[in-house]
Amino acid sequence: MNRQAQAVVLLLLGGAVIRASLTDLHLRYVKEGLRPFLVAAGLLLVAAAVMTLFYELRPLLRRTPAGHDDDHDARGDHDGHDGDDGHVHHEPRVGWLLILPVLGLLLVAPPALGSYAAGQAGTAVATRQQPSDYPPLPDGDPVRVTVLDYASRALFDRGTSIGDRRVQLTGFVTTGPDGRPLLARMVLSCCAADGRPVKLGLTGEAPDGLADDTWIEVTGRYSDRIARDPVNDAEIPYLDVESWRQVPVPRQQYE
């Protein structure tokens, strides 16, 4: 792969990063707050590719009418021989494999992490030795909370900050080890590579017969029931479901 081909690959990669950054596609890979950094990185890649192409094609633009390059002595013969040792230097062909992830980013849009990833990893919320103090829930009935917030309150202070309030959560369905549905949501620290699931057991009027990765909105109250995640032996809190409904896949699927 010569420098011109390398510049083209770099240009495609930069364009793919910019395309993903300016659409919701980047939300499948990183947290929303990282969008400015992705845009800046994509622009830098495109600028580097353009400058490389300009440097490599400049001798062609300056070629004399007789077909001789003004930089002939500096760049060597045009018959494929290097001016220093008279040998042809071939770049390793394995470099062309670099174009595969670029094409994948341009042509393939993998889904966000879902039930399969949740089933392979243990729940991200682990109980502490001492309970933590949580502020009261905001006003509203029911009050909207994240899956992570509910799980933390349910485990760390055993639902004290929830009390008898009705809460409303949104997540996707994943099948638990007992065959019963769990409500889950993936949480990210930075990007999808460090994604971990937060899992909630469902009791009461829990949904049944839904396929994995179905997104639902559930309304219910705190339950003191606790289960164990067989993957990492962490505690999984439960929610006493009063009602639920199926909802479209949200724009931001990670917490």
Side-chain angles (χ1 to χ4, degrees):
M1 178 184 290
N2 56 31
R3 287 198 177 186
Q4 295 179 19
Q6 293 172 8
V8 171
V9 173
L10 198 62
L11 183 62
L12 290 174
L13 178 59
V17 172
I18 293 175
R19 171 180 172 270
S21 303
L22 298 181
T23 64
D24 290 341
L25 181 60
H26 73 285
L27 296 177
R28 303 184 184 187
Y29 303 99
V30 298
K31 300 184 74 172
E32 188 170 13
L34 296 178
R35 171 183 277 185
F37 301 99
L38 285 179
V39 173
L43 292 175
L44 286 176
L45 289 173
V46 170
V50 171
M51 293 301 297
T52 301
L53 284 174
F54 174 77
Y55 176 79
E56 289 297 312
L57 298 178
R58 184 176 56 176
L60 298 179
L61 300 177
R62 298 172 56 186
R63 189 182 299 275
T64 62
H68 296 288
D69 195 333
D70 292 342
D71 296 333
H72 170 78
D73 293 336
R75 298 177 60 85
D77 298 332
H78 291 285
D79 58 359
H81 296 283
D82 186 272
D84 294 329
D85 53 15
H87 295 288
V88 179
H89 294 277
H90 296 284
E91 300 294 338
R93 295 181 179 179
V94 70
W96 286 103
L97 293 177
L98 293 174
I99 202 171
L100 294 180
V102 177
L103 293 177
L105 188 58
L106 285 172
L107 304 177
V108 181
L113 299 177
S115 61
Y116 177 79
Q120 300 302 308
T123 184
V125 182
T127 53
R128 304 172 184 173
Q129 295 300 319
Q130 296 180 349
S132 299
D133 294 329
Y134 281 86
L137 291 174
D139 294 334
D141 182 39
V143 56
R144 292 195 61 86
V145 297
T146 64
V147 175
L148 176 60
D149 188 25
Y150 175 83
S152 300
R153 292 173 184 266
L155 291 178
F156 296 162
D157 68 1
R158 297 304 179 185
T160 301
S161 61
I162 301 176
D164 196 40
R165 298 283 304 276
R166 293 201 310 156
V167 294
Q168 191 173 78
L169 307 87
T170 301
F172 60 85
V173 173
T174 182
T175 304
D178 59 354
R180 300 291 299 167
L182 299 175
L183 185 71
R185 197 77 183 253
M186 301 298 295
V187 295
L188 304 184
S189 298
C190 173
C191 59
D194 58 31
R196 295 282 304 279
V198 177
K199 307 175 186 179
L200 296 181
L202 302 176
T203 187
E205 300 296 323
D208 193 15
L210 294 179
D212 285 352
D213 294 310
T214 301
W215 283 83
I216 59 174
E217 179 184 84
V218 296
T219 301
R221 302 179 189 271
Y222 167 73
S223 171
D224 59 2
R225 182 177 173 182
I226 297 292
R228 288 283 179 178
D229 192 325
V231 180
N232 62 351
D233 199 40
E235 291 183 337
I236 297 179
Y238 269 72
L239 176 71
D240 187 9
V241 179
E242 295 181 352
S243 63
W244 65 273
R245 68 185 182 95
Q246 187 172 342
V247 296
V249 178
R251 170 178 173 271
Q252 174 58 276
Q253 299 185 47
Y254 300 130
E255 290 185 352

